[in-house]
C-alpha cells in the first residue's frame, strides 16, 4: 500500500507539522490574526463586556508626564504597598513601630523574642557594609522594654476595667427602675 506525504504516525488524514502545507496554513492564520482579534473585540462590545469598567470616563493617570521605563514597577510597589528600603531605614521605621508591635504580643516570652530578634537584626546590619545610610538605630534593652510593656499592659487593663465600671453604672439595674 503506497503512503502519501500527509500521512504520518498519527493516522491517515493528519498532516505532518513540518510539511509545507501546515507551514502555509500557519502563516495564513498569522496573517489573518488581526481580523480575528478585531472580530472578538467587536463581539465583546456588542455583548456589553466593556461597559462599566473601573476608571471609565476618568482621565488616565500620569499621561502627561515624561516617559519612565520603570513605570509599571513603581505602580506595582505603590498598589501593593511594598516597602523597599535600605536596611538602616527599614530598621528605623521598625523602631518607631516597635512599641505597638510589643503591645500586640500576648505574653512576656513573645515580647522578649521580638526584642531579641530586633536587636540581632540591628547588630547584623551594623556588621554588613552594604552601602546606604549608616545604621544609627539603637538596640533596645530587653529588661527595660519588658518592664515598659508590663506597665503599658497594666495601664490598658485598668483603663478597660474603669470603662466597664462606668458602663455598668450608667446602665440602669432592674431593681433601680422607677415605676410610674
Amino acid at each position: 500500500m503506497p503512503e502519501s506525504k500527509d500521512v504520518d504516525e498519527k493516522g491517515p488524514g493528519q498532516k505532518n507539522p513540518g510539511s509545507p502545507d501546515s507551514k502555509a496554513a500557519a502563516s495564513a492564520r498569522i496573517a489573518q490574526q488581526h481580523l480575528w482579534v478585531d472580530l472578538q473585540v467587536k463581539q465583546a462590545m456588542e455583548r456589553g463586556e466593556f461597559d462599566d469598567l473601573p476608571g471609565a470616563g476618568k482621565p488616565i493617570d500620569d499621561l502627561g508626564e515624561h516617559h519612565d521605563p520603570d513605570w509599571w514597577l513603581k505602580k506595582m510597589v505603590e498598589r501593593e504597598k511594598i516597602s523597599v528600603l535600605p536596611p538602616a531605614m527599614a530598621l528605623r521605621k521598625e523602631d518607631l513601630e516597635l512599641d505597638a508591635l510589643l503591645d500586640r504580643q500576648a505574653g512576656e516570652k513573645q515580647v522578649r523574642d521580638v526584642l531579641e530578634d530586633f536587636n540581632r537584626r540591628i547588630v547584623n546590619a551594623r556588621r554588613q557594609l552594604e552601602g546606604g545610610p549608616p545604621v544609627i538605630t539603637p538596640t533596645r534593652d530587653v529588661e527595660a522594654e519588658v518592664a515598659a510593656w508590663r506597665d503599658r499592659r497594666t495601664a490598658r487593663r485598668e483603663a478597660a476595667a474603669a470603662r466597664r465600671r462606668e458602663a455598668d453604672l450608667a446602665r440602669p439595674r432592674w431593681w433601680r427602675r422607677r415605676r410610674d
Side-chain angles (χ1 to χ4, degrees):
M1 178 158 131
E3 294 185 21
S4 67
K5 291 182 182 178
D6 60 335
V7 175
D8 64 355
E9 299 84 30
K10 295 180 181 179
Q14 294 183 354
K15 296 187 179 183
N16 186 359
S19 71
D21 291 340
S22 66
K23 288 182 182 178
S27 64
R29 279 194 308 272
I30 290 172
Q32 300 298 320
Q33 186 174 13
H34 70 282
L35 295 175
W36 180 81
V37 170
D38 289 341
L39 177 65
Q40 295 299 314
V41 170
K42 183 178 178 183
Q43 289 174 349
M45 287 172 62
E46 289 171 356
R47 289 190 302 264
E49 292 183 15
F50 296 119
D51 297 343
D52 301 325
L53 289 176
K58 296 178 184 173
I60 299 173
D61 293 334
D62 304 329
L63 189 61
E65 295 181 8
H66 67 283
H67 176 69
D68 184 6
D70 294 330
W71 66 269
W72 62 273
L73 182 62
K74 291 177 182 176
K75 288 290 186 182
M76 184 184 74
V77 166
E78 180 182 326
R79 181 181 64 244
E80 302 293 330
K81 296 183 176 124
I82 299 171
S83 176
V84 184
L85 295 173
M89 299 299 289
L91 286 170
R92 286 184 202 173
K93 181 179 177 188
E94 190 175 339
D95 184 44
L96 293 174
E97 300 167 351
L98 189 61
D99 287 338
L101 176 65
L102 294 177
D103 289 343
R104 290 192 301 265
Q105 303 305 312
E108 190 173 313
K109 182 177 181 345
Q110 290 90 357
V111 171
R112 288 181 186 278
D113 290 343
V114 169
L115 286 167
E116 288 169 1
D117 177 59
F118 179 71
N119 287 341
R120 180 185 46 78
R121 286 186 287 122
I122 288 176
V123 170
N124 286 342
R126 287 179 182 164
R127 288 181 186 154
Q128 297 174 358
L129 301 174
E130 295 179 0
V135 179
I136 60 171
T137 306
T139 57
R140 298 274 188 115
D141 180 20
V142 175
E143 295 304 321
E145 292 298 325
V146 168
W149 171 80
R150 273 193 221 115
D151 294 341
R152 289 192 306 267
R153 182 178 65 168
T154 303
R156 280 194 315 272
R157 287 182 176 175
E158 289 173 356
R163 284 193 303 271
R164 281 193 303 272
R165 281 192 303 270
E166 289 175 12
D168 286 345
L169 292 175
R171 185 177 52 187
R173 301 288 182 199
W174 65 272
W175 62 83
R176 293 184 187 165
R177 292 185 193 158
R178 291 186 182 170
R179 294 190 177 174
D180 292 328

